[in-house]
Amino acid sequence: MKITKVEIRPMRNEGNLKAFCSVVFDDVFIVHSVKVIQGKESLFVAMPSREGKHGEFRDTAHPIDNAFRLAMEEAVLERYREVIEEMSRVLAADIPTEDATF
């Protein structure tokens, strides 16, 4: 199974939640509500989950194979960093440097 597209929707001012993502597999299957979260040490990817009867959260979709999980996390975080970098460039281009007051 190949990851063919990763869509990133960055969040603003949502604490540790940095983005919601959708991941497309083989151009025929999509998983929504994948999250990029800022952990204590680094970013990580959390799969879509649902709260159970006793307050515990369980993934509703997730990779079974650890190697595929790592590959998916790498693809999501790489795309997230690309989107954030592009947003930073666009924002920087919109700020006129000679008129800026700090």
Side-chain angles (χ1 to χ4, degrees):
M1 182 170 288
K2 183 179 175 189
I3 297 168
T4 51
K5 186 174 185 181
V6 178
E7 298 173 350
I8 303 290
R9 292 173 302 286
M11 304 299 292
R12 293 184 184 198
N13 303 320
E14 295 294 328
N16 292 341
L17 177 61
K18 299 303 179 188
F20 275 103
C21 314
S22 297
V23 182
V24 179
F25 302 92
D26 292 335
D27 288 323
V28 296
F29 188 81
I30 190 166
V31 176
H32 296 289
S33 298
V34 176
K35 297 174 281 296
V36 174
I37 298 177
Q38 179 64 58
K40 289 182 182 183
E41 301 286 323
S42 61
L43 293 170
F44 68 92
V45 175
M47 297 303 295
S49 60
R50 183 173 275 175
E51 187 172 8
K53 293 179 183 178
H54 303 289
E56 78 283 357
F57 282 85
R58 296 183 53 103
D59 289 349
T60 55
H62 59 89
I64 295 172
D65 180 74
N66 193 51
F68 188 77
R69 176 183 291 275
L70 293 173
M72 189 177 101
E73 184 169 285
E74 182 180 328
V76 168
L77 292 178
E78 180 180 329
R79 183 68 184 126
Y80 171 76
R81 290 181 181 109
E82 289 171 355
V83 168
I84 295 303
E85 184 177 312
E86 180 63 26
M87 288 175 61
S88 295
R89 279 197 301 267
V90 168
L91 290 173
D94 286 344
I95 299 172
T97 54
E98 60 262 2
D99 296 331
T101 55
F102 299 101

